[in-house]
Amino acid sequence: MKNTPISLKSLLLNANKALAEKKYFEGKSILEKINSLNTNIFEVNYNLGLINLKLNNLDDATINFEKAIKLNPGLSNIYFNLGIVLDRKKDFNLAIKNFQKVIEIDPSNAQASYNLGSLYQEVFKRKEAEKHLKKSIDLNPKFSLAYNNLFDVYDRSNQTEKFKELLLEAKNNLDDKNLLNFYSGMYEYKSKNYKVAIDTLEKIK
């Protein structure tokens, strides 16, 4: 809000208050009013993008985040949220580019690596999916969703040995007994240990 006229500062404060109170339509209305007066305020464009994403106004959110990127191209959160928007719009290739940008700016972002791996699953690029899902687990060994998707990659590509190695890693790191029993049962079934598979799967609540 640096060098912002007092009237706009007042509107911004009101918008932030509305957002803090989860009054999204009120906040959106105020931010749009500010945008009609000055289209080059980063905070306005970024927050409009977040609101439109929350309200599922995906085309508007895309415009808002793209404008925010022009105003502050070095902030990883913008690319992250634009990636989510594009994923919801089924524009997977552009979504991938945005999550790649997140990782370029913030290599330690486990969620971005997970999202990128999941998007590569969507476009049937197994090796890329495996690479980024493994990276996500390396960054956050307790990230159960990343294990889930990586198990799926190994299952669909019949990589039983890698499936087994991941299962051992998951057992060391995860507390989710249902997830572990499910994939343990799958492994036993693949290994033709049908009785063990049934017994294991029956433990799932």
Side-chain angles (χ1 to χ4, degrees), residues 7-64:
S7 59
L8 291 185
K9 284 185 178 179
S10 178
L11 287 170
L12 276 169
L13 289 172
N14 289 337
N16 290 337
K17 183 173 183 289
L19 295 181
E21 296 172 355
K22 298 185 179 181
K23 297 177 180 178
Y24 299 118
F25 289 102
E26 180 183 335
K28 183 173 184 283
S29 177
I30 298 170
L31 291 170
E32 286 174 342
K33 182 176 180 179
I34 298 170
N35 223 20
S36 70
L37 299 171
N38 185 342
T39 62
N40 293 315
I41 301 175
F42 166 77
E43 182 181 352
V44 172
N45 287 281
Y46 181 65
N47 284 339
L48 272 173
L50 292 176
I51 292 173
N52 280 316
L53 172 56
K54 187 171 286 292
L55 298 177
N56 212 38
N57 300 327
L58 300 181
D59 289 337
D60 289 339
T62 302
I63 293 169
N64 298 141

Side-chain angles (χ1 to χ4, degrees), residues 55-182:
L55 298 177
N56 212 38
N57 300 327
L58 300 181
D59 289 337
D60 289 339
T62 302
I63 293 169
N64 298 141
F65 287 133
E66 286 177 344
K67 178 66 174 179
I69 285 170
K70 288 180 181 178
L71 295 169
N72 189 353
L75 189 63
S76 65
N77 282 356
I78 320 171
Y79 299 97
F80 188 97
N81 286 297
L82 181 54
I84 292 173
V85 172
L86 293 166
D87 182 13
R88 289 189 188 176
K89 292 171 73 173
K90 307 298 182 185
D91 194 341
F92 298 130
N93 289 327
L94 270 181
I96 284 169
K97 288 181 180 178
N98 277 276
F99 284 114
Q100 286 173 332
K101 187 66 177 178
V102 176
I103 292 169
E104 179 185 320
I105 297 170
D106 180 12
S108 64
N109 192 320
Q111 184 70 48
S113 291
Y114 165 75
N115 288 3
L116 187 54
S118 300
L119 282 163
Y120 277 123
Q121 279 183 285
E122 290 281 357
V123 297
F124 307 107
K125 292 187 176 181
R126 178 183 59 77
K127 288 185 178 179
E128 290 87 346
E130 178 184 2
K131 172 186 172 182
H132 291 287
L133 290 170
K134 286 178 71 175
K135 179 64 174 178
S136 179
I137 291 169
D138 288 342
L139 291 168
N140 180 2
K142 293 188 176 295
F143 198 163
S144 60
L145 286 174
Y147 285 95
N148 187 71
N149 284 30
L150 190 53
F151 276 126
D152 186 62
V153 169
Y154 291 151
D155 178 38
R156 291 175 184 272
S157 54
N158 294 313
Q159 297 187 77
T160 306
E161 192 58 36
K162 285 186 176 181
F163 192 104
K164 178 183 178 182
E165 291 171 3
L166 182 63
L167 184 57
L168 291 172
E169 184 177 355
K171 286 179 177 178
N172 286 330
N173 292 317
L174 298 182
D175 299 320
D176 187 341
K177 299 301 182 185
N178 286 331
L179 182 72
L180 293 172
N181 284 328
F182 177 73

